[in-house]
Amino acid sequence: MGDNRAPILGYIIQYNTSFTPDTWESAFDSVPATSTEFTINLSPWANYTFRVIARNKIGPSQPSGHSEMCTTLPDVPYKNPDGVEGKGSDPTNLVIKWSSMPEIEHNGPGFKYRIYWKRADKGKAKERWNTEDVVDWEQDHYVIPNQPTFKPYRIKVEAHNDRGEANVAAPEIKGWSGEAEPTEAPRNLTLLELKDATTALLSWEPVANTSIRGHFKGYKIQTWTEKETPDKARDVIVENNGEPSALVTSFVPYTKNFVRVLVFNGAYDGPPSEEIGFVTPEGKPGPIDSLDAIPLGSSAFYLIWKKPKQPNGILTGYHIYYEEVDGTKTGPVSERDPPIRDATVTRAKLASLKPGTKYRITLKARTAMGQGSSYFIERMTRSTGATPPGKPGLIWQHVTTSKRDGAIKITWIPDTKGNPGSHFFVKYRLYGRSLYATTKPELYEDFILLKGLDVDKVYQVSVVAVDGEYSVESDVEEIDTHSTGVSQGVFIRETDNIATRGWFIGMMLAIAFLLLILIIVCIVKRNRGGKYAVHEQEAAHGRNDFNEEQGFPEFAQPLDGAKRDSLGSDVKHPIESDTDSMAEYGDGDTESRAPPSPHSPNKPCIRVSYLKIQRDYLTNL
């Protein structure tokens, strides 16, 4: 059987036309199974072909072969365009729009649109219709230039072909020419009531309708702060409700806010009013800027965060909440106790957690008005006893107490590159003692106060990081305590090494002093060059051509006078002996000296002058 053992439930009749030959559309989709013929309505002036599809409970069959072409006779259009509207695209025109009609709806040759428009103002109603034909059936608008700004019009669009206009009347619609910028600003903007840190009630005088020059859409309230500029203002839309007032909830807390108002139409904003300013009270802070959680061992996190970008007041502290996460579910919320009451603190420890557990950590800033917006992250603690903690560091500072005893604040610095450890405690002892005292483990804070210490004593202090069964100790610091009345100060005891011992420093100062004296003696002796007694003796013998600036002149002058004899000279002067020169310049008896040779020049030899200089120099020393 043709039904493939499932009875036929009905038929579907489909068609296409010469306008859309590749598209089959259903003319009727529920033809009874007992029928073998069916009547359907067709459009005029079209070429149709048909096919049939059978349908049973399994589904539709393959379509049959198409029929021969069926051509219908032309007729007037059966409808007019839909979606007609009129509005200007600028202040001097009127744009009439419609939805174009497909060819199957033309119903005959010579299809066109006929457009009608005229002013709808009072006194203009009796004007004749203006008309224009559009022969392109795909066109969907028509622009009428040189029209007055924002005036009402009566508009209609008809469908026509060679047989005539559509057999139904085209509806009239009301349109408007183009809008322009409003000309009037609202006046007397007033702050009626400041309800809270973000909310204020404002009022103003409405503008005249004629100044809007367009469809009245409402008012815009623009706000900004003293740290911003008006061009970055935030807009609050007050729609057309007939009341020139608004409750604005977008002000910034704890700062000076500015506000202005303007009217707007369908295309333009009007001029703004005069601005007013006022200071809002404190509010709840915004969310913190960032949050990170570094695992400390297997049961704690070291939290680090940044302050809110919008504190909205004076910050007074933070609240930390945590809850276990199991898949998409979260457990009961717990708060870290105590809350952080110092707004300058941006780090905290969250302890007493379960190992290998995922937690959602939420942090909120707080002002006098309460807790602010939430900021949360999800992190998992480490498994128990995975690795020993890294070696911690420590810093310390003096503290002030009401008693006259020593007190030190020890702050530890976890090793965040490895396993920092889950909690810490402090070991301390008097210098020279053998036994250490220990504090209780600190689970939440990152410091411990050592109180009741002896004054003017040296203590050895270290910090111990603990995780499970593992513990690692920091380097030992030696700290002196001393009393200054009511308050106590602390300082690090100097390390006992050679660079800080008194005898070593004294010796180095003595060596430096001796070196300085030696340098001064050398400078003085050098400045005395050329001033020895040999200089006067040479001058007494008639030698005056010395250049004192050149040091020893004997090496710079000829031995036999200003002009050396030529090699061909027969004159030979006897050479003085060392004894003669020494006798001449000696300090002994002048009578024992040998008379000078008549041929001997009144000049000492180089050797005599040099020996004399040596003697004078050694005598002066």
Side-chain angles (χ1 to χ4, degrees):
M1 295 178 62
D3 57 9
N4 276 343
R5 302 179 182 274
I8 293 175
L9 302 177
Y11 297 96
I12 302 172
I13 300 175
Q14 294 182 331
Y15 70 90
N16 69 1
T17 68
S18 55
F19 302 123
T20 56
D22 297 328
T23 303
W24 290 90
E25 299 184 23
S26 294
F28 208 80
D29 57 3
S30 58
V31 178
T34 57
S35 299
T36 57
E37 61 181 33
F38 199 78
T39 302
I40 60 175
N41 295 321
L42 303 177
S43 296
W45 197 59
N47 298 319
Y48 286 88
T49 54
F50 301 91
R51 68 183 185 182
V52 178
I53 298 175
R55 177 176 53 82
N56 62 13
K57 67 179 182 179
I58 305 302
S61 68
Q62 293 293 325
S64 67
H66 62 78
S67 67
E68 294 181 357
M69 183 179 294
C70 172
T71 302
T72 56
L73 298 175
D75 198 355
V76 297
Y78 290 167
K79 61 172 293 188
N80 292 295
D82 299 322
V84 179
E85 65 175 18
K87 60 185 299 185
S89 60
D90 63 52
T92 61
N93 69 12
L94 171 66
V95 181
I96 299 174
K97 296 182 179 181
W98 62 89
S99 297
S100 58
M101 296 173 59
E103 289 178 293
I104 194 67
E105 296 177 349
H106 295 178
N107 291 357
F111 180 82
K112 61 186 176 183
Y113 305 105
R114 181 162 292 171
I115 303 168
Y116 294 82
W117 76 93
K118 66 177 180 178
R119 291 274 294 274
D121 316 49
K122 291 182 179 180
K124 303 282 187 177
K126 294 184 179 180
E127 287 187 358
R128 298 181 60 183
W129 287 96
N130 300 292
T131 64
E132 187 69 31
D133 288 343
V134 177
V135 298
D136 182 2
W137 68 269
E138 294 181 306
Q139 186 172 330
D140 62 357
H141 69 280
Y142 182 73
V143 180
I144 305 168
N146 303 321
Q147 300 299 306
T149 299
F150 197 64
K151 296 299 180 180
Y153 287 82
R154 295 168 61 188
I155 299 168
K156 62 181 180 179
V157 179
E158 294 179 345
H160 288 247
N161 62 20
D162 290 345
R163 291 278 183 145
E165 66 181 69
N167 60 3
V168 293
E172 286 187 17
I173 61 102
K174 187 176 183 179
W176 297 82
S177 55
E179 298 176 278
E181 294 182 5
T183 59
E184 185 179 340
R187 296 183 298 274
N188 294 331
L189 176 61
T190 305
L191 173 64
L192 295 180
E193 183 182 0
L194 188 59
K195 292 185 175 294
D196 56 38
T198 61
T199 305
L201 181 61
L202 305 172
S203 69
W204 58 91
E205 292 183 6
V207 299
N209 290 334
T210 55
S211 70
I212 299 175
R213 301 205 297 172
H215 297 286
F216 175 62
K217 298 297 184 181
Y219 293 92
K220 287 183 182 179
I221 298 175
Q222 298 180 327
T223 68
W224 67 97
T225 68
E226 58 186 350
K227 296 181 181 180
E228 300 169 329
T229 55
D231 58 330
K232 301 295 184 181
R234 294 170 290 278
D235 289 343
V236 179
I237 305 299
V238 181
E239 295 183 353
N240 182 12
N241 56 7
E243 295 293 334
S245 63
L247 186 66
V248 181
T249 60
S250 61
F251 294 109
V252 179
Y254 202 61
T255 189
K256 188 170 185 179
N257 288 262
F258 296 93
V259 62
R260 66 188 181 187
V261 64
L262 54 87
V263 69
F264 69 101
N265 58 32
Y268 299 96
D269 292 340
S273 68
E274 292 184 357
E275 64 187 46
I276 61 173
F278 53 89
V279 177
T280 51
E282 279 192 280
K284 296 180 180 180
I288 61 172
D289 192 34
S290 66
L291 174 62
D292 193 14
I294 302 171
L296 292 178
S298 57
S299 61
F301 286 113
Y302 190 57
L303 305 181
I304 303 173
W305 64 89
K306 292 184 180 179
K307 295 181 178 181
K309 289 185 176 180
Q310 296 178 340
N312 297 338
I314 300 175
L315 293 178
T316 59
Y318 298 90
H319 290 264
I320 300 172
Y321 301 92
Y322 59 98
E323 53 193 315
E324 295 183 23
V325 178
D326 184 10
T328 59
K329 299 180 180 180
T330 57
V333 178
S334 301
E335 183 177 3
R336 178 189 182 270
D337 188 37
I340 297 174
R341 306 188 186 281
D342 184 355
T344 63
V345 173
T346 57
R347 298 173 181 236
K349 183 181 177 183
L350 180 61
S352 300
L353 305 178
K354 296 180 180 179
T357 304
K358 189 174 185 180
Y359 283 88
R360 174 175 292 182
I361 305 168
T362 304
L363 197 144
K364 297 180 181 180
R366 184 185 67 248
T367 63
M369 300 305 295
Q371 299 181 30
S373 302
S374 300
Y375 188 105
F376 72 87
I377 59 174
E378 293 184 356
R379 295 288 188 273
M380 178 172 287
T381 56
R382 289 192 173 114
S383 300
T384 305
T387 57
K391 185 177 182 180
L394 70 89
I395 56 176
W396 53 267
Q397 65 185 100
H398 69 275
V399 296
T400 301
T401 65
S402 59
K403 299 179 180 180
R404 294 179 177 271
D405 57 1
I408 307 172
K409 180 180 179 180
I410 305 297
T411 303
W412 47 84
I413 304 173
D415 180 11
T416 57
K417 295 181 180 179
N419 178 8
S422 60
H423 66 270
F424 299 81
F425 65 89
V426 173
K427 292 174 58 177
Y428 63 100
R429 68 179 179 182
L430 277 171
Y431 186 78
R433 296 283 180 88
S434 58
L435 296 179
Y436 276 96
T438 59
T439 64
K440 293 181 179 180
E442 176 55 52
L443 300 179
Y444 292 101
E445 301 296 341
D446 60 351
F447 68 91
I448 284 181
L449 291 177
L450 296 181
K451 298 181 180 180
L453 304 179
D454 294 338
V455 178
D456 296 328
K457 298 292 184 180
V458 178
Y459 281 85
Q460 293 179 313
V461 181
S462 65
V463 169
V464 181
V466 181
D467 185 22
E469 299 178 353
Y470 297 102
S471 62
V472 176
E473 184 177 350
S474 70
D475 293 333
V476 175
E477 294 279 357
E478 294 182 1
I479 306 173
D480 289 349
T481 60
H482 66 279
S483 175
T484 56
V486 177
S487 63
Q488 287 77 36
V490 294
F491 56 91
I492 296 179
R493 182 172 179 264
E494 293 180 348
T495 303
D496 188 16
N497 55 38
I498 192 171
T500 59
R501 291 181 180 176
W503 66 267
F504 179 78
I505 295 174
M507 184 182 68
M508 296 303 295
L509 290 175
I511 293 174
F513 182 70
L514 293 175
L515 288 175
L516 179 62
I517 292 176
L518 180 60
I519 292 172
I520 293 173
V521 169
C522 292
I523 293 174
V524 170
K525 293 302 181 181
R526 179 180 179 183
N527 290 338
R528 293 181 59 187
K531 302 300 181 182
Y532 304 109
V534 69
H535 186 273
E536 288 86 4
Q537 295 288 345
E538 293 286 5
H541 285 77
R543 184 177 180 185
N544 297 316
D545 54 346
F546 294 102
N547 185 359
E548 296 183 358
E549 295 181 357
Q550 292 182 354
F552 301 115
E554 287 77 9
F555 294 100
Q557 298 295 332
L559 297 178
D560 53 353
K563 183 177 180 181
R564 184 180 298 274
D565 293 336
S566 65
L567 296 175
S569 176
D570 294 334
V571 179
K572 302 294 183 181
H573 297 286
I575 299 174
E576 285 185 322
S577 68
D578 294 342
T579 306
D580 295 336
S581 297
M582 292 297 292
E584 181 181 354
Y585 295 102
D587 296 331
D589 185 11
T590 57
E591 294 180 356
S592 62
R593 297 176 185 171
S597 171
H599 300 288
S600 181
N602 294 327
K603 302 175 184 177
C605 70
I606 295 175
R607 184 174 180 182
V608 171
S609 298
Y610 182 69
L611 292 174
K612 184 67 170 66
I613 291 172
Q614 283 182 320
R615 186 185 69 180
D616 290 345
Y617 180 75
L618 294 174
T619 303
N620 289 331
L621 286 178

